[in-house]
């Protein structure tokens, strides 16, 4: 039983370690504005997260509702220390990954805001300005908004 739980924790550790490197890669791609590569990387991140969650659920099933600290307390001293060490490593890496993910999220939202502002600016530059000018009858032309109903004379 110890070997199964130890290997599960080790796989979680390696998975979270890989997640950290993928989040760093995502940050560099966000800085480079490489949207195609970011999209492809997001699929990898989501699949890795799914696998980590599956490992977590399997671990919970194996220890049957006990905590890892309780389980480690039932083991011989050296084995219990190893389980606690792996658990602490996984927890520390998760905290690091959480901070990296928050940083990536902030950067992607900032880039979204920047892109939105640029689109609004370009749209304003492209739309014709309403200028006062004289029409064919010698009067000032009345400008209507873009969506107006036309009424014609017969």
């Amino acid at each position: 039983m110890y070997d199964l739980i130890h290997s599960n924790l080790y796989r979680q550790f390696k998975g979270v370690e890989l997640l950290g490197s993928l989040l760093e890669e995502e940050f560099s791609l966000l800085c480079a504005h490489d949207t195609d590569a970011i999209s492809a990387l997001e699929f990898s991140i989501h699949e890795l997260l799914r696998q980590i969650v599956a490992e977590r659920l399997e671990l919970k099933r194996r220890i049957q509702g006990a905590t890892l600290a309780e389980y480690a307390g039932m083991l011989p001293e050296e084995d219990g220390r190893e389980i606690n060490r792996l658990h602490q490593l996984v927890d520390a890496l998760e905290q690091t990954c959480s901070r990296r993910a928050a940083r990536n999220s902030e950067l992607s939202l900032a880039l979204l805001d920047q892109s939105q502002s640029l689109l609004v600016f370009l749209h304003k530059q492209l739309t014709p300005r309403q200028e006062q000018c004289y029409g064919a009858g010698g009067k000032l032309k009345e400008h209507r908004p873009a969506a107006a109903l036309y009424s014609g004379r017969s």
Side-chain angles (χ1 to χ4, degrees):
M1 181 71 148
Y2 168 78
D3 290 335
L4 292 172
I5 291 175
H6 182 270
S7 64
N8 184 298
L9 280 171
Y10 187 75
R11 284 191 303 273
Q12 285 185 42
F13 169 69
K14 286 301 187 180
V16 176
E17 195 175 49
L18 176 61
L19 178 64
S21 65
L22 289 177
L23 288 170
E24 281 300 316
E25 183 180 347
E26 181 185 39
F27 182 76
S28 66
L29 291 173
L30 282 168
C31 290
H33 302 280
D34 190 353
T35 55
D36 293 335
I38 292 170
S39 299
L41 187 63
E42 282 297 317
F43 286 114
S44 299
I45 290 173
H46 286 283
E47 178 60 25
L48 180 59
L49 286 172
R50 187 195 63 74
Q51 291 174 5
I52 291 171
V53 167
E55 290 291 337
R56 285 273 164 88
L57 293 174
E58 177 64 22
L59 180 65
K60 281 182 117 175
R61 188 184 67 76
R62 291 231 181 254
I63 61 175
Q64 300 172 352
T67 64
L68 274 174
E70 293 170 347
Y71 174 73
M74 294 185 284
L75 295 172
E77 188 176 335
E78 187 176 313
D79 291 343
R81 272 189 301 209
E82 179 63 17
I83 293 294
N84 282 330
R85 184 185 72 80
L86 274 175
H87 181 255
Q88 289 171 354
L89 285 173
V90 168
D91 188 49
L93 278 174
E94 281 179 358
Q95 297 300 319
T96 303
C97 287
S98 175
R99 286 189 294 275
R100 287 177 183 166
R103 177 189 64 180
N104 290 357
S105 175
E106 288 175 12
L107 180 58
S108 65
L109 290 174
L111 291 172
L112 174 70
D113 289 343
Q114 182 184 27
S115 297
Q116 184 65 31
S117 297
L118 179 61
L119 283 174
V120 167
F121 172 76
L122 290 174
H123 186 264
K124 284 181 181 178
Q125 294 299 314
L126 291 174
T127 54
R129 292 173 179 71
Q130 291 189 2
E131 297 177 6
Q132 295 286 335
C133 62
Y134 289 97
K139 297 182 182 177
L140 282 175
K141 253 183 155 176
E142 179 183 331
H143 290 280
R144 295 190 179 136
L149 295 175
Y150 289 103
S151 60
R153 297 183 206 163
S154 43

